[in-house]
Short mmCIF file of all heavy atoms in Angstrom, two decimals:
data_model
loop_
_atom_site.label_atom_id
_atom_site.label_comp_id
_atom_site.label_asym_id
_atom_site.label_seq_id
_atom_site.Cartn_x
_atom_site.Cartn_y
_atom_site.Cartn_z
N LEU A 26 -19.57 -29.88 8.43
CA LEU A 26 -18.50 -30.24 7.36
C LEU A 26 -17.72 -28.96 6.98
O LEU A 26 -16.54 -29.05 6.86
CB LEU A 26 -19.25 -30.59 6.13
CG LEU A 26 -19.70 -32.12 5.99
CD1 LEU A 26 -20.57 -32.39 4.84
CD2 LEU A 26 -18.48 -33.00 6.02
N VAL A 27 -18.31 -27.88 6.92
CA VAL A 27 -17.58 -26.55 6.68
C VAL A 27 -16.60 -26.30 7.71
O VAL A 27 -15.41 -25.91 7.39
CB VAL A 27 -18.52 -25.38 6.54
CG1 VAL A 27 -17.89 -24.13 6.51
CG2 VAL A 27 -19.30 -25.58 5.11
N GLU A 28 -17.06 -26.44 8.98
CA GLU A 28 -16.11 -26.19 10.17
C GLU A 28 -14.91 -27.14 10.16
O GLU A 28 -13.73 -26.62 10.33
CB GLU A 28 -16.89 -26.33 11.53
CG GLU A 28 -16.15 -26.21 12.71
CD GLU A 28 -16.83 -26.26 14.01
OE1 GLU A 28 -18.17 -26.37 13.90
OE2 GLU A 28 -16.30 -26.38 15.00
N LEU A 29 -15.19 -28.39 9.80
CA LEU A 29 -14.22 -29.46 9.81
C LEU A 29 -13.19 -29.17 8.66
O LEU A 29 -11.91 -29.34 8.66
CB LEU A 29 -14.71 -30.80 9.74
CG LEU A 29 -15.36 -31.26 11.02
CD1 LEU A 29 -16.16 -32.55 10.70
CD2 LEU A 29 -14.38 -31.49 12.15
N LEU A 30 -13.70 -28.76 7.30
CA LEU A 30 -12.97 -28.55 6.34
C LEU A 30 -12.06 -27.32 6.48
O LEU A 30 -10.84 -27.40 5.97
CB LEU A 30 -13.95 -28.29 4.96
CG LEU A 30 -14.47 -29.59 4.42
CD1 LEU A 30 -15.50 -29.31 3.38
CD2 LEU A 30 -13.41 -30.61 3.90
N GLU A 31 -12.58 -26.42 7.12
CA GLU A 31 -11.78 -25.18 7.37
C GLU A 31 -10.68 -25.43 8.24
O GLU A 31 -9.43 -25.02 8.11
CB GLU A 31 -12.64 -24.01 7.94
CG GLU A 31 -11.95 -22.76 8.05
CD GLU A 31 -12.77 -21.57 8.49
OE1 GLU A 31 -13.85 -21.83 8.89
OE2 GLU A 31 -12.50 -20.35 8.12
N ARG A 32 -10.87 -26.33 9.33
CA ARG A 32 -9.87 -26.79 10.16
C ARG A 32 -8.79 -27.54 9.44
O ARG A 32 -7.65 -27.42 9.70
CB ARG A 32 -10.47 -27.56 11.29
CG ARG A 32 -9.35 -28.14 12.31
CD ARG A 32 -8.54 -27.08 13.04
NE ARG A 32 -7.58 -27.79 13.90
CZ ARG A 32 -6.34 -27.13 14.21
NH1 ARG A 32 -6.08 -25.94 13.60
NH2 ARG A 32 -5.49 -27.74 15.00
N ARG A 33 -9.35 -28.41 8.55
CA ARG A 33 -8.34 -29.18 7.71
C ARG A 33 -7.50 -28.43 6.88
O ARG A 33 -6.23 -28.78 6.75
CB ARG A 33 -9.18 -30.21 6.91
CG ARG A 33 -8.35 -31.35 6.20
CD ARG A 33 -9.19 -32.22 5.22
NE ARG A 33 -8.44 -33.37 5.00
CZ ARG A 33 -7.40 -33.47 4.04
NH1 ARG A 33 -7.01 -32.36 3.46
NH2 ARG A 33 -6.81 -34.65 3.77
N MET A 34 -7.96 -27.42 6.28
CA MET A 34 -7.27 -26.50 5.41
C MET A 34 -6.23 -25.71 6.15
O MET A 34 -5.11 -25.43 5.69
CB MET A 34 -8.17 -25.51 4.56
CG MET A 34 -8.87 -26.16 3.52
SD MET A 34 -7.72 -26.98 2.33
CE MET A 34 -8.88 -27.71 1.17
N THR A 35 -6.55 -25.23 7.35
CA THR A 35 -5.55 -24.65 8.21
C THR A 35 -4.38 -25.51 8.47
O THR A 35 -3.26 -25.08 8.53
CB THR A 35 -6.30 -24.22 9.59
OG1 THR A 35 -7.42 -23.42 9.29
CG2 THR A 35 -5.32 -23.48 10.61
N ILE A 36 -4.68 -26.77 8.89
CA ILE A 36 -3.60 -27.77 9.25
C ILE A 36 -2.86 -28.14 7.89
O ILE A 36 -1.57 -28.13 8.03
CB ILE A 36 -4.25 -29.08 9.65
CG1 ILE A 36 -4.82 -28.78 11.14
CG2 ILE A 36 -3.14 -30.16 9.88
CD1 ILE A 36 -5.73 -29.96 11.69
N VAL A 37 -3.52 -28.18 6.86
CA VAL A 37 -2.74 -28.36 5.48
C VAL A 37 -1.84 -27.33 5.29
O VAL A 37 -0.71 -27.52 4.76
CB VAL A 37 -3.92 -28.57 4.31
CG1 VAL A 37 -3.18 -28.34 2.92
CG2 VAL A 37 -4.58 -29.96 4.40
N GLU A 38 -2.22 -26.01 5.44
CA GLU A 38 -1.43 -24.81 5.32
C GLU A 38 -0.14 -24.97 6.18
O GLU A 38 0.89 -24.64 5.75
CB GLU A 38 -2.23 -23.49 5.55
CG GLU A 38 -1.74 -22.32 4.90
CD GLU A 38 -2.63 -21.20 4.93
OE1 GLU A 38 -3.63 -21.22 5.64
OE2 GLU A 38 -2.38 -20.30 4.11
N GLU A 39 -0.43 -25.36 7.40
CA GLU A 39 0.86 -25.43 8.28
C GLU A 39 1.76 -26.52 7.82
O GLU A 39 2.98 -26.39 7.87
CB GLU A 39 0.36 -25.85 9.78
CG GLU A 39 -0.44 -24.78 10.36
CD GLU A 39 0.39 -23.42 10.58
OE1 GLU A 39 1.63 -23.53 10.79
OE2 GLU A 39 -0.16 -22.25 10.39
N ILE A 40 1.17 -27.79 7.30
CA ILE A 40 2.14 -28.70 6.72
C ILE A 40 2.87 -28.16 5.52
O ILE A 40 4.05 -28.55 5.35
CB ILE A 40 1.19 -29.92 6.31
CG1 ILE A 40 0.71 -30.64 7.62
CG2 ILE A 40 2.03 -30.85 5.56
CD1 ILE A 40 -0.32 -31.74 7.29
N GLY A 41 2.28 -27.34 4.67
CA GLY A 41 2.91 -26.72 3.56
C GLY A 41 4.06 -25.89 3.99
O GLY A 41 5.16 -25.92 3.32
N ASN A 42 3.82 -25.23 5.13
CA ASN A 42 5.00 -24.29 5.68
C ASN A 42 6.15 -25.17 6.05
O ASN A 42 7.32 -24.82 5.88
CB ASN A 42 4.39 -23.45 6.69
CG ASN A 42 3.58 -22.34 6.24
OD1 ASN A 42 3.63 -21.85 5.15
ND2 ASN A 42 2.60 -21.97 7.12
N ILE A 43 5.75 -26.36 6.71
CA ILE A 43 6.78 -27.12 7.20
C ILE A 43 7.63 -27.80 5.93
O ILE A 43 8.90 -27.88 6.04
CB ILE A 43 6.27 -28.29 8.06
CG1 ILE A 43 5.80 -27.75 9.39
CG2 ILE A 43 7.32 -29.43 8.31
CD1 ILE A 43 4.90 -28.57 10.20
N LYS A 44 6.88 -28.26 5.03
CA LYS A 44 7.54 -28.88 3.86
C LYS A 44 8.36 -27.83 3.03
O LYS A 44 9.58 -28.17 2.59
CB LYS A 44 6.42 -29.17 2.75
CG LYS A 44 5.58 -30.66 3.16
CD LYS A 44 4.75 -30.96 2.13
CE LYS A 44 4.00 -32.37 2.60
NZ LYS A 44 2.86 -32.57 1.68
N LYS A 45 7.92 -26.54 3.15
CA LYS A 45 8.79 -25.54 2.40
C LYS A 45 10.10 -25.36 3.35
O LYS A 45 11.14 -25.26 2.65
CB LYS A 45 8.09 -24.10 2.52
CG LYS A 45 8.79 -23.06 1.95
CD LYS A 45 8.00 -21.72 2.00
CE LYS A 45 8.83 -20.56 1.34
NZ LYS A 45 7.97 -19.34 1.24
N GLU A 46 10.17 -25.37 4.65
CA GLU A 46 11.22 -25.27 5.37
C GLU A 46 12.26 -26.39 5.20
O GLU A 46 13.53 -26.16 5.25
CB GLU A 46 10.85 -25.18 6.82
CG GLU A 46 10.15 -23.85 7.27
CD GLU A 46 9.70 -24.00 8.69
OE1 GLU A 46 9.90 -24.93 9.36
OE2 GLU A 46 9.01 -22.93 9.08
N ILE A 47 11.81 -27.58 5.07
CA ILE A 47 12.69 -28.64 4.88
C ILE A 47 12.75 -29.24 3.43
O ILE A 47 13.64 -30.25 3.19
CB ILE A 47 12.28 -30.00 5.79
CG1 ILE A 47 10.90 -30.46 5.33
CG2 ILE A 47 12.09 -29.62 7.29
CD1 ILE A 47 10.35 -31.58 6.10
N GLY A 48 12.25 -28.43 2.50
CA GLY A 48 12.40 -28.74 1.01
C GLY A 48 11.83 -30.03 0.56
O GLY A 48 12.25 -30.70 -0.40
N MET A 49 10.60 -30.39 1.04
CA MET A 49 9.82 -31.54 0.79
C MET A 49 8.98 -31.15 -0.42
O MET A 49 8.43 -29.92 -0.49
CB MET A 49 9.01 -32.10 1.91
CG MET A 49 9.79 -32.93 2.80
SD MET A 49 8.53 -33.56 4.09
CE MET A 49 7.61 -34.65 3.08
N ARG A 50 8.54 -32.16 -1.38
CA ARG A 50 7.57 -31.98 -2.44
C ARG A 50 6.24 -31.99 -1.77
O ARG A 50 6.04 -32.82 -0.74
CB ARG A 50 7.81 -32.86 -3.52
CG ARG A 50 9.12 -32.74 -4.21
CD ARG A 50 9.24 -33.69 -5.36
NE ARG A 50 10.45 -33.51 -6.06
CZ ARG A 50 10.56 -32.70 -7.14
NH1 ARG A 50 9.46 -32.02 -7.45
NH2 ARG A 50 11.72 -32.53 -7.79
N VAL A 51 5.14 -31.47 -2.43
CA VAL A 51 3.82 -31.49 -1.98
C VAL A 51 3.29 -32.89 -2.23
O VAL A 51 2.70 -33.44 -1.26
CB VAL A 51 2.93 -30.49 -2.92
CG1 VAL A 51 1.54 -30.75 -2.64
CG2 VAL A 51 3.22 -28.98 -2.49
N TYR A 52 3.45 -33.47 -3.30
CA TYR A 52 2.74 -34.67 -3.63
C TYR A 52 3.48 -35.94 -3.18
O TYR A 52 4.56 -36.23 -3.43
CB TYR A 52 2.62 -34.86 -5.15
CG TYR A 52 1.76 -35.98 -5.69
CD1 TYR A 52 0.52 -36.30 -5.03
CD2 TYR A 52 2.13 -36.80 -6.75
CE1 TYR A 52 -0.28 -37.39 -5.49
CE2 TYR A 52 1.28 -37.92 -7.12
CZ TYR A 52 0.25 -38.08 -6.50
OH TYR A 52 -0.55 -39.44 -6.89
N ASP A 53 2.71 -36.75 -2.27
CA ASP A 53 3.28 -38.01 -1.70
C ASP A 53 2.34 -39.04 -2.12
O ASP A 53 1.31 -39.31 -1.39
CB ASP A 53 3.50 -37.92 -0.17
CG ASP A 53 4.08 -39.15 0.41
OD1 ASP A 53 4.18 -40.20 -0.30
OD2 ASP A 53 4.54 -38.94 1.54
N PRO A 54 2.52 -39.65 -3.28
CA PRO A 54 1.52 -40.82 -3.76
C PRO A 54 1.32 -41.78 -2.86
O PRO A 54 0.16 -42.26 -2.73
CB PRO A 54 2.11 -41.20 -5.13
CG PRO A 54 3.51 -40.76 -4.98
CD PRO A 54 3.59 -39.62 -4.20
N GLU A 55 2.36 -42.31 -2.09
CA GLU A 55 2.16 -43.48 -1.20
C GLU A 55 1.33 -42.96 0.04
O GLU A 55 0.48 -43.79 0.30
CB GLU A 55 3.41 -43.87 -0.67
CG GLU A 55 4.23 -44.82 -1.75
CD GLU A 55 3.47 -45.96 -2.21
OE1 GLU A 55 2.88 -46.71 -1.31
OE2 GLU A 55 3.27 -46.19 -3.50
N ARG A 56 1.47 -41.88 0.49
CA ARG A 56 0.71 -41.40 1.69
C ARG A 56 -0.71 -41.19 1.24
O ARG A 56 -1.65 -41.59 1.88
CB ARG A 56 1.23 -40.05 2.08
CG ARG A 56 0.32 -39.07 2.75
CD ARG A 56 0.01 -39.39 4.26
NE ARG A 56 -0.89 -38.40 4.85
CZ ARG A 56 -1.50 -38.62 5.94
NH1 ARG A 56 -1.47 -39.81 6.55
NH2 ARG A 56 -2.45 -37.75 6.47
N GLU A 57 -1.02 -40.77 0.01
CA GLU A 57 -2.33 -40.51 -0.49
C GLU A 57 -2.99 -41.75 -0.73
O GLU A 57 -4.21 -42.04 -0.38
CB GLU A 57 -2.44 -39.66 -1.73
CG GLU A 57 -3.73 -39.15 -2.19
CD GLU A 57 -3.64 -38.08 -3.27
OE1 GLU A 57 -3.02 -37.04 -2.85
OE2 GLU A 57 -4.23 -38.25 -4.27
N LYS A 58 -2.25 -42.88 -1.31
CA LYS A 58 -2.79 -43.97 -1.50
C LYS A 58 -3.27 -44.74 -0.25
O LYS A 58 -4.37 -45.40 -0.22
CB LYS A 58 -1.78 -44.86 -2.24
CG LYS A 58 -2.12 -46.28 -2.60
CD LYS A 58 -1.11 -47.02 -3.32
CE LYS A 58 -1.49 -48.52 -3.69
NZ LYS A 58 -0.52 -49.27 -4.48
N LYS A 59 -2.43 -44.68 0.80
CA LYS A 59 -2.76 -45.33 2.09
C LYS A 59 -3.98 -44.71 2.68
O LYS A 59 -4.70 -45.20 3.42
CB LYS A 59 -1.47 -45.27 2.99
CG LYS A 59 -0.39 -46.23 2.61
CD LYS A 59 0.87 -46.06 3.53
CE LYS A 59 1.99 -46.92 3.10
NZ LYS A 59 3.17 -46.76 3.87
N LEU A 60 -3.96 -43.24 2.60
CA LEU A 60 -5.12 -42.49 3.24
C LEU A 60 -6.45 -42.92 2.53
O LEU A 60 -7.41 -43.15 3.28
CB LEU A 60 -4.86 -40.97 2.95
CG LEU A 60 -5.85 -39.98 3.53
CD1 LEU A 60 -5.06 -38.69 3.93
CD2 LEU A 60 -7.04 -39.75 2.69
N LEU A 61 -6.38 -43.02 1.19
CA LEU A 61 -7.67 -43.44 0.61
C LEU A 61 -8.08 -44.87 0.84
O LEU A 61 -9.30 -45.18 0.97
CB LEU A 61 -7.55 -43.26 -0.97
CG LEU A 61 -7.59 -41.80 -1.46
CD1 LEU A 61 -7.10 -41.71 -2.96
CD2 LEU A 61 -8.77 -40.99 -1.22
N ALA A 62 -7.16 -45.73 1.06
CA ALA A 62 -7.44 -47.06 1.38
C ALA A 62 -7.99 -47.20 2.83
O ALA A 62 -8.84 -47.94 3.00
CB ALA A 62 -6.11 -47.88 1.31
N ARG A 63 -7.38 -46.40 3.67
CA ARG A 63 -7.96 -46.40 5.15
C ARG A 63 -9.31 -45.82 5.19
O ARG A 63 -10.30 -46.47 5.82
CB ARG A 63 -6.95 -45.52 5.91
CG ARG A 63 -7.54 -45.28 7.42
CD ARG A 63 -6.53 -44.70 8.19
NE ARG A 63 -6.22 -43.31 7.71
CZ ARG A 63 -7.11 -42.16 7.97
NH1 ARG A 63 -8.11 -42.50 8.73
NH2 ARG A 63 -6.80 -41.09 7.52
#
Side-chain angles (χ1 to χ4, degrees):
L26 281 172
V27 168
E28 182 181 349
L29 291 171
L30 286 171
E31 187 170 23
R32 174 60 183 155
R33 191 185 195 283
M34 285 301 179
T35 300
I36 295 172
V37 163
E38 200 165 18
E39 291 302 321
I40 292 172
N42 289 331
I43 293 170
K44 287 180 177 178
K45 177 176 179 178
E46 290 175 4
I47 62 178
M49 281 182 64
R50 293 181 178 276
V51 167
Y52 186 47
D53 185 343
E55 283 304 311
R56 155 76 178 161
E57 192 163 301
K58 183 178 178 181
K59 290 177 182 177
L60 186 152
L61 290 171
R63 176 174 62 80

